[in-house]
Amino acid sequence: MAMHHATALATLLIGLWAARAYIPNLLASMTPPAAHLAWGFFFVAFGAIGRSVYWSFGRVVTGDEWPFVRDLLGGLNINMGFELCLIVGLLLILRARLLAIPEDDRPAYNLFTCVTYPEPFRLYSILRRPK
Protein backbone atom coordinates (compact mmCIF):
# COMPACT_ATOMS: atom_id res chain seq x y z
CA MET A 1 0.00 0.00 0.00
CA ALA A 2 1.44 3.36 -1.05
CA MET A 3 1.73 6.15 1.49
CA HIS A 4 -1.07 8.21 -0.14
CA HIS A 5 -3.37 5.19 0.22
CA ALA A 6 -2.53 4.95 3.92
CA THR A 7 -3.14 8.67 4.47
CA ALA A 8 -6.49 8.44 2.64
CA LEU A 9 -7.52 5.51 4.83
CA ALA A 10 -6.48 7.45 7.95
CA THR A 11 -8.45 10.47 6.69
CA LEU A 12 -11.53 8.34 6.18
CA LEU A 13 -11.35 6.65 9.58
CA ILE A 14 -10.59 9.80 11.54
CA GLY A 15 -13.24 11.71 9.56
CA LEU A 16 -15.88 9.10 10.38
CA TRP A 17 -14.82 9.12 14.03
CA ALA A 18 -15.01 12.93 14.21
CA ALA A 19 -18.38 12.91 12.41
CA ARG A 20 -19.71 10.47 14.99
CA ALA A 21 -18.66 12.92 17.69
CA TYR A 22 -20.23 16.03 16.16
CA ILE A 23 -23.28 14.95 14.16
CA PRO A 24 -25.48 15.13 17.28
CA ASN A 25 -24.39 18.78 17.63
CA LEU A 26 -25.45 19.51 14.04
CA LEU A 27 -28.93 18.29 14.88
CA ALA A 28 -29.16 20.44 18.04
CA SER A 29 -30.70 23.89 18.17
CA MET A 30 -28.05 26.58 17.63
CA THR A 31 -27.90 30.29 17.04
CA PRO A 32 -27.78 31.16 13.31
CA PRO A 33 -24.06 32.03 13.27
CA ALA A 34 -23.16 28.81 15.10
CA ALA A 35 -25.40 26.69 12.86
CA HIS A 36 -23.92 28.17 9.67
CA LEU A 37 -20.41 27.68 10.99
CA ALA A 38 -21.04 24.08 12.06
CA TRP A 39 -22.73 23.12 8.78
CA GLY A 40 -20.05 24.98 6.82
CA PHE A 41 -17.27 22.97 8.42
CA PHE A 42 -19.31 19.80 7.88
CA PHE A 43 -19.54 20.43 4.12
CA VAL A 44 -15.88 21.44 3.86
CA ALA A 45 -14.81 18.28 5.69
CA PHE A 46 -17.18 16.11 3.64
CA GLY A 47 -15.87 17.52 0.35
CA ALA A 48 -12.22 17.24 1.32
CA ILE A 49 -12.47 13.78 2.86
CA GLY A 50 -14.68 12.50 0.05
CA ARG A 51 -12.27 13.68 -2.59
CA SER A 52 -9.28 12.22 -0.77
CA VAL A 53 -10.95 8.86 -0.27
CA TYR A 54 -12.27 8.73 -3.84
CA TRP A 55 -8.94 9.40 -5.53
CA SER A 56 -6.54 7.65 -3.17
CA PHE A 57 -8.37 4.91 -1.32
CA GLY A 58 -10.79 4.01 -4.12
CA ARG A 59 -7.88 2.67 -6.12
CA VAL A 60 -6.86 0.29 -3.34
CA VAL A 61 -10.35 -1.09 -2.80
CA THR A 62 -11.10 -1.63 -6.49
CA GLY A 63 -7.60 -2.67 -7.59
CA ASP A 64 -7.41 -3.39 -11.31
CA GLU A 65 -11.08 -2.47 -11.70
CA TRP A 66 -10.39 1.17 -10.73
CA PRO A 67 -10.64 2.60 -14.29
CA PHE A 68 -14.03 0.92 -14.77
CA VAL A 69 -15.36 1.99 -11.37
CA ARG A 70 -13.98 5.51 -11.78
CA ASP A 71 -15.69 5.89 -15.14
CA LEU A 72 -18.90 4.40 -13.75
CA LEU A 73 -18.90 6.97 -10.94
CA GLY A 74 -18.33 9.85 -13.33
CA GLY A 75 -14.55 9.99 -13.56
CA LEU A 76 -13.31 13.53 -13.13
CA ASN A 77 -16.88 14.84 -13.00
CA ILE A 78 -17.27 13.53 -9.46
CA ASN A 79 -14.86 16.28 -8.45
CA MET A 80 -17.64 18.76 -9.18
CA GLY A 81 -19.72 17.17 -6.43
CA PHE A 82 -16.86 17.37 -3.93
CA GLU A 83 -16.05 20.93 -5.02
CA LEU A 84 -19.70 21.93 -4.64
CA CYS A 85 -19.55 20.62 -1.07
CA LEU A 86 -16.47 22.76 -0.48
CA ILE A 87 -18.15 25.83 -2.02
CA VAL A 88 -21.34 25.38 0.03
CA GLY A 89 -19.27 24.89 3.19
CA LEU A 90 -17.16 27.98 2.57
CA LEU A 91 -20.24 30.11 1.80
CA LEU A 92 -21.87 28.91 5.03
CA ILE A 93 -18.72 29.81 6.95
CA LEU A 94 -18.78 33.30 5.43
CA ARG A 95 -22.51 33.55 6.24
CA ALA A 96 -21.69 32.70 9.87
CA ARG A 97 -19.13 35.51 9.87
CA LEU A 98 -21.70 37.94 8.45
CA LEU A 99 -24.31 36.92 11.05
CA ALA A 100 -21.75 37.39 13.83
CA ILE A 101 -21.40 41.09 12.98
CA PRO A 102 -23.55 43.22 15.32
CA GLU A 103 -26.94 44.01 13.80
CA ASP A 104 -26.30 47.75 13.75
CA ASP A 105 -23.16 47.29 11.61
CA ARG A 106 -24.37 44.36 9.48
CA PRO A 107 -26.19 46.33 6.71
CA ALA A 108 -22.84 47.74 5.59
CA TYR A 109 -21.45 44.25 4.89
CA ASN A 110 -22.15 41.26 2.63
CA LEU A 111 -20.64 37.79 2.15
CA PHE A 112 -17.60 39.25 0.42
CA THR A 113 -16.93 42.24 2.66
CA CYS A 114 -17.73 40.62 6.04
CA VAL A 115 -14.16 39.36 6.29
CA THR A 116 -12.98 42.95 6.78
CA TYR A 117 -15.05 43.55 9.94
CA PRO A 118 -14.24 45.36 12.24
CA GLU A 119 -11.57 47.06 10.14
CA PRO A 120 -10.32 46.66 6.58
CA PHE A 121 -7.60 44.09 6.10
CA ARG A 122 -4.22 45.73 6.01
CA LEU A 123 -0.79 44.36 6.79
CA TYR A 124 -0.43 47.13 9.36
CA SER A 125 -3.53 45.78 11.19
CA ILE A 126 -1.85 42.44 11.68
CA LEU A 127 1.55 43.82 12.68
CA ARG A 128 0.20 46.17 15.35
CA ARG A 129 -1.91 43.55 17.16
CA PRO A 130 -0.80 42.97 20.76
CA LYS A 131 0.86 39.65 21.39
Side-chain angles (χ1 to χ4, degrees):
M1 181 183 295
M3 193 56 153
H4 69 278
H5 297 142
T7 57
L9 177 59
T11 301
L12 173 63
L13 295 175
I14 295 168
L16 290 172
W17 196 247
R20 166 57 187 93
Y22 287 99
I23 283 180
N25 297 79
L26 292 175
L27 304 176
S29 178
M30 293 183 266
T31 64
H36 281 84
L37 189 61
W39 280 103
F41 279 112
F42 169 81
F43 279 106
V44 167
F46 182 80
I49 291 168
R51 189 173 186 174
S52 176
V53 168
Y54 177 77
W55 286 110
S56 294
F57 193 60
R59 295 175 185 193
V60 172
V61 173
T62 59
D64 292 337
E65 298 297 317
W66 171 244
F68 173 74
V69 172
R70 182 195 60 217
D71 292 342
L72 185 67
L73 294 174
L76 291 175
N77 292 331
I78 201 163
N79 274 338
M80 289 187 293
F82 295 131
E83 288 163 354
L84 284 173
C85 285
L86 293 168
I87 290 167
V88 167
L90 292 170
L91 289 174
L92 286 170
I93 290 168
L94 287 172
R95 178 82 175 141
R97 173 72 175 167
L98 179 62
L99 292 174
I101 294 173
E103 285 188 39
D104 293 343
D105 296 335
R106 199 176 306 155
Y109 293 91
N110 59 43
L111 284 181
F112 300 105
T113 60
C114 68
V115 299
T116 64
Y117 182 84
E119 61 187 42
F121 177 76
R122 293 185 193 105
L123 184 57
Y124 176 74
S125 303
I126 295 170
L127 295 177
R128 71 179 174 86
R129 296 230 187 260
K131 301 207 186 242

